[in-house]
Structure formats: structure tokens, C-alpha cells
Amino acid sequence: MTQDELKAEVGRAALQYVQAGEVVGVGTGSTVNKFIDALASIKDQIAGAVSSSEASTERLRAIGVKVLDANAVERLSVYIDGADEIDGQGHMVKGGGAALTREKIVAALADRFICIADASKQVQTLGRFPLPVEVIPMAATQIARRFAAKGGQAVLRLKDGAPLVTDNGQHILDVTGLAIADPLAFESEVNQWPGVVTVGVFAHQKAAVCLLGTEQGVQTLEF
Ligand code: 5RP
């Protein structure tokens, strides 16, 4: 099975967590796009969605799902999103699609984070995938120096030759060379560096469930 087919399988499998009459939290990325495709089949049964990016909002609206402002919602029962890495405890690295800040905000509204991922995303220790960090542009260099002191190399993410600008008007550093042995402590530490908007470690908002696409079918991991 191709990676695309595995993503489609977990996207469809995630429908079982969507409750009729409720608002669903929706992430960002190619796996979530498969979930949104599947959601089209039950769009009339849900009250709407809170979206984590302009890209997902556009897709949700295109299939006829009402998109609510996160401020209009007190809680969500589930938030469904992909990941760039997930470890054996449900800690994740996210932000490959530059939507990490809004993803963390919507995830924080939800009782349960349902991660949908193909098996290539499973790791023993977070850090193989370059860690995305959304930063205020004037702080980028000092934040890069802080990562260098930890053995990491931070590179400004570019798009079409210029710094990528997120939905929040900020920049992204991608950090290689890290082995994140204690994701909770790492997330807490980096979060308080001046100029960090969001670090792409999701340990405080870790997955409750991961639907993992494998050659043997969809595995359900509970954390
Ligand atoms: C976007 C994300 C995505 O969930 C992550 O990059 C995985 O993407 P994909 O499903 O395309 O592999 O964090 O900011």
C-alpha cells in the first residue's frame, strides 16, 4: 500500500470518533485532508468544525462544513490531526505544515487528541524529524543560539526563497540534531524562551489515541 493509501485509511477510520451533533476539532496536513474527504460523507450529522489553519478551513468549507471560531467553543470532545512523529507515550512532533500554533490551541480545547498517522511517523525518541518552532522574527537568531547550546541546528524555513510566513504572521525555525528524551520538560523549557510562539513538541497536549496506518491495517494505540 502507498503512503497515500495508508493516510486515506486512517482518515476514514477517524470518523468513528466524530459524534453526531457535535463540533469537531480539525488539524492540518495531507493526512487530515483525507479525514476531511471522509468527513464529507457525514457532514450533515455534525454541528461544525474548529479548524487549525486557513488551508483546512478552505477545505472544510468546500465540502459544506460550517467552520466556527475557536473563541465560540468552550470544549470539543475530539481533535483529529496528523503528526510528523509520535513516540510510544503519545508525545508528538508537529508543525511540518507550519500550523503548529493553531493546532496546539485547538487541541487544548479538546478532551481527546486523536492522532492519525502512517507507520513511518512512529519513533522511539522524538527528534528525527526537524523540530518546527514558530518564532517572532526579531528573536529568531537568539533562539537559534539557544538551540545550538543544546546541540541543535536551527534553520529558518523558506518558501519561494523568502522566509515562510505562518497564518499568524510569524516565522518557523526547523531544528535538527536534537534527541528529545524528556518531551514534557523540553516543551516547558522552550516555551518560556522569549520570542518562542510555539514549540512543535506536543507533550502537554499529547495524543490520547493514535490510529496508525500499517500494511496489516489500521492499528489503534491508546496512551
Ligand atoms: C501541520 C502538522 C501535520 O499534522 C504534520 O506535518 C503531518 O502532516 P502530514 O499528514 O501531511 O504528514 O503538524 O502543521
Side-chain angles (χ1 to χ4, degrees), residues 84 93-100 127-135 140-141 143-145 147-148 151-159 162-166 171-178 180 186 190 193 198-201:
D84 299 303
V93 163
K94 293 185 42 54
L100 62 163
R128 188 179 66 194
F129 186 89
L131 175 69
V133 185
E134 184 164 359
V135 300
T141 305
I143 292 167
R145 279 196 295 269
F147 279 117
Q153 297 84 46
V155 175
L156 188 65
R157 193 182 299 182
L158 302 179
K159 187 180 178 192
L164 177 142
V165 178
T166 67
H171 289 172
I172 298 277
L173 291 175
D174 290 305
V175 189
T176 54
L178 300 170
I180 304 169
F186 183 94
V190 176
W193 292 351
T198 304
V199 56
V201 170

Side-chain angles (χ1 to χ4, degrees), residues 7 28-31 81-84 94-100 103 121:
K7 288 180 181 190
T28 299
S30 57
T31 316
D81 198 358
D84 299 303
K94 293 185 42 54
L100 62 163
E103 290 172 343
K121 307 293 182 66

